[in-house]
Amino acid sequence: MHLALLFATFALGPAGRAQDAPPEWTAQDARRAATHSPLPAPPPSPTNRFADDERAARLGQSLFFDARLSANGAISCATCHDPALGFGDGKQVFEGLERGPRHSPTLWNVAYQRWFFWDGRADSLWAQAVQPLESAIEMGGDRVALAHLIAGDARLRSEYELLFSALPETSNWPAHAKPGPADSQAAPHAAWRALSDEQRRAASRVAANVGKCLEAYERKLVRRDAPFDAFVAGDAGALSPSALRGWKIFSGKGNCRSCHGGPNFSDGEFHNIGIPPLGGGRPDDPARYAGVERVKLDPFNALGEFSDERQGEAALRLETLRQTPQSFGEYRTPSLRNVALSPPYMHQGQFARLADVVHFYSTLEGVTQVGHHQEQTLKPLELDQGEQRDLIAFLESLTGAEPPRQWLGPRDRIEPREH
């Protein structure tokens, strides 16, 4: 075989396409890439005036890793959002006091979201943080016990009061109390109803302030400056030829940008793509349909008394939010930044690897009808094996640099308590 023909055969590979030569980077590529990069600083959180306060972030870091916030003293926020597992838990669905119905999403770049949880039932990161604390299947704690904990811990109390002024007097409060259904006979719910309006408001204020500190900490969990960003900024060697071919698929044939647009590679909205549920059968999770009702009823939402800005964009977004039948079975579009760091994937962790996700979009194998409003724009991509590998290479190029390591673990490892 002629030497030039031999080299050409190896370069093209069995699929007959260049395996190693980078594809042409066109003006259209540059325009499209500019809508994704660079990733700016996280947007402000107007309903939380402590969102970017370093003191609040440090207190939030202490609380994030503190299992005393849970009913059994064994579960912390980090149980489901472990730094070693991409601030997820590596499981299909979360396991708190009970096994949950949905997957624990990563907290990387969570500050860029507009709605929180898979169903969007919280409209701020601080409001989201309160819900797992009191959930009977997650941490099972309550806002009165939380106030007692902070009051009884010298460092927590000192740092809290420096930020928020004096804690309420809790000596005459019950050990546990939290809101619940009006007809519930559960002891914490009955104890809550026995508190005065002033006491209930004070306990709720403590919970809101804890949520605001947790948000301040979680806003530190940002990974930016990925290889893709470096390439867009002019570093021609930052992406492999495979990743560049993957970009061509992502931005062209795959039409992935229709949902994963913008610098955070998410439209921030909700979609019904028919991912088959765990265990088979027909899905019955209303998802966003129920989430709309829940966020509107949440006392910690942008319009509530604990919000630091009850007029403005966040409040308007909530006021104009409508529950529609089309939202049944819709889940929030996750960001693709750092996606390689936190498997498994989808709202129940149905896919163990990125390869499984790409295969699903390529074939729509097992797609399940959810309600009467299935996403109509979704078509099988019909990618060959080489194209699937290239798309995965591109997704892996979206992994950004770590934030300062001081935020990546329990605070006491960095700031030991004085004895």
Side-chain angles (χ1 to χ4, degrees):
M1 182 180 290
H2 190 277
L3 188 59
L5 180 59
L6 178 65
F7 282 141
T9 301
F10 282 129
L12 289 171
R17 65 189 180 93
Q19 297 294 318
D20 298 313
E24 180 186 7
W25 183 260
T26 66
Q28 182 183 62
D29 287 316
R31 288 193 299 271
R32 289 178 173 176
T35 69
H36 293 283
S37 181
L39 179 67
S45 179
T47 63
N48 177 7
R49 63 190 178 94
F50 300 94
D52 295 308
D53 189 310
E54 289 284 314
R55 300 169 301 165
R58 289 194 295 272
L59 178 53
Q61 183 178 16
S62 294
L63 295 165
F64 185 90
F65 292 94
D66 195 334
R68 294 178 297 170
L69 275 62
S70 64
N72 66 357
I75 301 170
S76 71
C77 302
T79 300
C80 291
H81 301 287
D82 186 341
L85 297 172
F87 280 94
D89 60 11
K91 301 174 182 177
Q92 288 186 303
V93 295
F94 73 80
E95 296 179 14
L97 293 176
E98 298 179 21
R99 179 178 167 86
R102 295 183 185 149
H103 174 62
S104 296
T106 177
L107 294 184
W108 287 127
N109 292 21
V110 68
Y112 292 86
Q113 294 174 200
R114 289 185 295 190
W115 305 101
F116 300 85
F117 296 107
W118 285 103
D119 58 8
R121 64 182 184 271
D123 65 349
S124 70
L125 188 49
W126 67 268
Q128 180 279 327
V130 176
Q131 293 192 32
L133 297 177
E134 293 193 315
S135 167
I137 63 173
E138 295 184 67
M139 297 175 71
D142 63 82
R143 59 195 71 179
V144 167
L146 184 61
H148 284 307
L149 171 65
I150 296 173
D153 183 297
R155 187 170 83 172
L156 293 181
R157 179 169 192 144
S158 173
E159 294 185 1
Y160 179 98
E161 293 187 336
L162 282 173
L163 283 165
F164 303 111
S165 74
L167 279 161
E169 175 55 56
T170 62
S171 61
N172 61 341
W173 289 10
H176 299 280
K178 62 181 174 182
D183 59 352
S184 172
Q185 300 304 308
H189 301 159
W192 180 259
R193 292 194 294 271
L195 293 173
S196 68
D197 288 346
E198 182 180 354
Q199 289 171 325
R200 287 195 291 264
R201 187 175 294 108
S204 296
R205 174 69 66 183
V206 171
N209 289 341
V210 164
K212 291 174 182 181
C213 289
L214 288 169
E215 176 180 29
Y217 168 62
E218 291 169 9
R219 284 172 65 85
K220 299 294 186 183
L221 306 180
V222 174
R223 299 183 73 127
R224 302 163 71 187
D225 303 323
F228 175 75
D229 299 307
F231 183 87
V232 174
D235 182 354
L239 292 186
S240 68
S242 178
L244 281 173
R245 290 193 297 269
W247 158 257
K248 292 281 191 178
I249 296 167
F250 180 90
S251 62
K253 174 180 179 179
N255 194 29
C256 308
R257 300 172 69 243
S258 63
C259 293
H260 294 282
N264 202 37
F265 286 84
S266 171
D267 61 4
E269 295 301 329
F270 298 80
H271 298 277
N272 172 354
I273 60 173
I275 300 293
L278 287 180
R282 292 186 60 80
D284 58 3
D285 183 353
R288 183 55 169 163
Y289 183 79
V292 169
E293 181 178 14
R294 291 185 65 177
V295 71
K296 283 181 159 297
L297 294 175
D298 184 4
F300 298 109
N301 67 26
L303 294 169
E305 66 175 298
F306 307 107
S307 168
D308 291 324
E309 185 179 271
R310 297 171 68 180
Q311 296 180 343
E313 182 179 344
L316 180 62
R317 187 164 62 237
L318 190 62
E319 287 179 323
T320 56
L321 184 64
R322 297 291 180 265
Q323 187 184 52
T324 66
Q326 287 84 352
S327 64
F328 194 96
E330 290 186 339
Y331 299 93
R332 180 179 50 79
T333 305
S335 169
L336 295 182
R337 283 191 177 267
N338 313 300
V339 68
L341 300 178
S342 56
Y345 302 100
M346 304 301 182
H347 64 276
Q348 288 188 310
Q350 289 97 324
F351 299 134
R353 306 169 302 153
L354 279 177
D356 301 321
V357 177
V358 171
H359 175 77
F360 172 79
Y361 280 107
S362 184
T363 65
L364 296 189
E365 182 179 308
V367 70
T368 303
Q369 180 72 30
V370 183
H372 301 289
H373 301 281
Q374 189 78 26
E375 199 85 21
Q376 296 301 308
T377 59
L378 200 61
K379 307 294 181 187
L381 299 183
E382 299 180 347
L383 305 178
D384 65 34
Q385 291 299 311
E387 289 174 317
Q388 291 185 41
R389 287 193 296 269
D390 291 341
L391 184 53
I392 292 168
F394 169 70
L395 295 174
E396 290 172 340
S397 81
L398 301 179
T399 300
E402 281 190 345
R405 294 199 62 80
Q406 73 184 80
W407 302 113
L408 302 184
R411 181 178 164 192
D412 287 344
R413 293 181 187 172
I414 303 158
E415 302 175 18
R417 292 176 183 255
E418 296 181 1
H419 296 285

